[in-house]
Amino acid sequence: MLKTSTSKPVTHKNDTNWRLKAIMGGSIGNLVEWYDWYAYSAFSLYFAGSFFPDSNPTVQLINTAGIFAVGFLMRPIGGYLFGKIADTKGRKEAMTLSVLLMSFGSLLIAFLPGYGTIGIAAPVLLLVARLLQGLSVGGEYGTSATYLSEVATKERRGFYSSFQYVTLIGGQLIALGLQLILQRIFLTEQEMHAWGWRIPFVIGAALSLIALYLRSNLHETDAFQNKNTSPAKKEGSMTELLKHPRAIAIVVGLTLGGTLAFYTYTTYMQKFLVNTVGLTKGQSTTLTFCSLLIFALLQPVFGALSDKVGRRPLLIGFGVLGTLCTIPLLTTLSHTSTMWGAFGLLMGALLIVSGYTSINAVVKAELFPVEVRALGVGLPYSLTVAIFGGTAEYLALWFKNIGHENYYYWYVTICIFLSLMVYIGMKDTKYTSLIEH
């Protein structure tokens, strides 16, 4: 690890190789973390019956979605704990610890007996494993967003930091790709329900160990090493964070509509295509995989665009189009009878959401000084995601179960509109970034 000189600040400003290695190392670790997180959602169609013995498939999915939502409740705690570690001990140390915890959670799910073997202990232990994963991923977002934003150059910060969502979406793609391979090539439907769903969690635990090795060899960011360690500045503390109430409020408002839209069109969409549109599980997985692949490729394009025109225009574009188009898109999609029709509508939605996903990490990082940057990004973001993103799937399924699925469309629209009000009122962080200070 590089040492900070007392006479000359550490700098890698012109070291392109170092920068690319840091971004690649940080991104790959992020990829593995999010694969582990999304494997639960992708394969819940198959393991729901193992842990929740109920004859109604929708009720089984509601139960697994409930645990998915509860896992989000740990994310604010993870955002606080790992944010504090990142701001006091270093970004690298926090990222290394988070991926280790994720590996343990995946391993627990992989070998967990079902309800028929250990009774009520099965869903309880599934909940424990999901809480550990929630703690891990809650710390991952703030620390990796901070790390990628700090190692990027000012001129290309939007582009480089967009790779956080490339790898976040990439985690979903790997989970879905593995599901497609198992569905189409290796296992029957019965085998997938019986034991095949355990395979992705074993793979996830193994990949986490690889990510752990990669992260242990990363260098710390210049911003952290060169920060002012004045006793007056309490690094990583709530006291120091609360000195920035406007930035905290912006993070919450910025995230509200964006995270709800993101989880609606990614995590929940696979169930929506099966339960509402009427596609088969195989068709749903194929369509979701293809749309997410294009969605991932869009992130650097939008990130680079933000380096040219600013962050705020992209956010306002998402807010306006999300407010106007969410209800028509989801209503039309619910009545679509062809895969190509569903694909076109879903891609239209993901194109709109890219205005948020591609730059939300860098915008948040640019709002806070180095002493509380990881905590400032991670904690308010995780709280907002826990409340709105984590409950998206549960609420959507609940509204469907009571016969008013369209209420969920209105709920998403209102939340995006509230975020739009924040985008209109905020300054463009491309020009006011605190990373340069």
Side-chain angles (χ1 to χ4, degrees), residues 127-254:
L127 175 61
V128 170
R130 199 59 184 167
L131 292 177
L132 292 175
Q133 288 190 321
L135 188 68
S136 170
V137 84
E140 172 65 21
Y141 179 88
T143 53
S144 64
T146 299
Y147 186 84
L148 292 175
S149 297
E150 288 181 347
V151 298
T153 58
K154 178 181 179 181
E155 296 76 17
R156 306 194 73 186
R157 187 167 289 132
F159 172 75
Y160 282 127
S161 64
S162 71
F163 281 90
Q164 185 189 36
Y165 259 76
V166 172
T167 51
L168 190 155
I169 299 163
Q172 288 181 276
L173 284 171
I174 294 175
L176 288 171
L178 178 61
Q179 189 176 53
L180 281 172
I181 292 171
L182 293 176
Q183 285 173 338
R184 303 286 178 90
I185 300 175
F186 293 107
L187 301 177
T188 64
E189 183 85 359
Q190 184 178 2
E191 289 171 332
M192 285 288 289
H193 281 279
W195 55 269
W197 60 266
R198 298 182 183 274
I199 295 174
F201 296 103
V202 174
I203 293 174
L207 289 176
S208 294
L209 294 178
I210 296 173
L212 179 65
Y213 170 78
L214 291 173
R215 285 191 164 177
S216 66
N217 287 286
L218 288 178
H219 289 300
E220 189 53 80
T221 67
D222 296 349
F224 177 79
Q225 290 185 296
N226 299 330
K227 66 180 177 179
N228 179 2
T229 56
S230 167
K233 295 185 176 181
K234 300 177 181 178
E235 302 160 357
S237 71
M238 287 299 297
T239 302
E240 191 69 24
L241 177 61
L242 291 175
K243 294 178 182 178
H244 308 277
R246 178 176 172 79
I248 295 171
I250 290 175
V251 170
V252 172
L254 176 79

Side-chain angles (χ1 to χ4, degrees), residues 50-51 67 112-128:
S50 297
F51 295 100
I67 288 185
L112 184 61
Y115 188 92
T117 304
I118 60 173
I120 193 65
V124 171
L125 289 174
L126 179 65
L127 175 61
V128 170

Side-chain angles (χ1 to χ4, degrees), residues 241-429:
L241 177 61
L242 291 175
K243 294 178 182 178
H244 308 277
R246 178 176 172 79
I248 295 171
I250 290 175
V251 170
V252 172
L254 176 79
T255 305
L256 169 61
T259 192
L260 185 55
F262 174 77
Y263 279 100
T264 296
Y265 294 120
T266 58
T267 306
Y268 171 61
M269 189 48 55
Q270 194 179 11
K271 283 89 173 170
F272 183 83
L273 292 172
V274 173
N275 261 4
T276 298
V277 180
L279 300 182
T280 66
K281 291 175 183 177
Q283 289 175 323
S284 170
T285 304
T286 301
L287 195 155
T288 305
F289 180 87
C290 293
S291 60
L292 286 179
L293 178 60
I294 299 173
F295 185 40
L297 296 175
L298 287 173
Q299 303 311 297
V301 176
F302 277 78
L305 180 62
S306 79
D307 288 326
K308 300 293 183 182
V309 303
R311 326 292 187 212
R312 190 164 166 267
L314 269 67
L315 291 171
I316 291 177
F318 157 69
V320 171
L321 292 174
T323 300
L324 296 176
C325 300
T326 295
I327 294 174
L329 276 170
L330 288 174
T331 302
T332 306
L333 184 58
S334 69
H335 294 97
T336 300
S337 57
T338 66
M339 278 191 67
W340 280 112
F343 177 76
L345 290 166
L346 182 54
M347 279 314 308
L350 292 174
L351 187 67
I352 293 172
V353 177
S354 293
Y356 163 80
T357 54
S358 59
I359 59 170
N360 81 94
V362 68
V363 170
K364 293 161 188 170
E366 289 174 330
L367 287 168
F368 295 95
V370 64
E371 293 83 12
V372 289
R373 184 167 295 138
L375 183 61
V377 173
L379 181 57
Y381 166 82
S382 296
L383 279 168
T384 311
V385 171
I387 297 170
F388 297 97
T391 58
E393 187 174 295
Y394 185 89
L395 280 175
L397 289 166
W398 183 76
F399 279 125
K400 178 176 177 58
N401 198 48
I402 65 172
H404 294 287
E405 191 169 24
N406 63 310
Y407 287 5
Y408 180 74
Y409 311 163
W410 281 97
Y411 169 65
V412 176
T413 299
I414 292 169
C415 288
I416 294 176
F417 176 75
L418 293 174
S419 285
L420 175 60
M421 297 297 99
V422 176
Y423 306 150
I424 292 172
M426 67 183 285
K427 295 180 181 179
D428 197 320
T429 59

Side-chain angles (χ1 to χ4, degrees), residues 51-67:
F51 295 100
F52 303 100
D54 191 292
S55 59
N56 187 333
T58 299
V59 173
Q60 290 178 344
L61 288 174
I62 288 175
N63 287 328
T64 55
I67 288 185

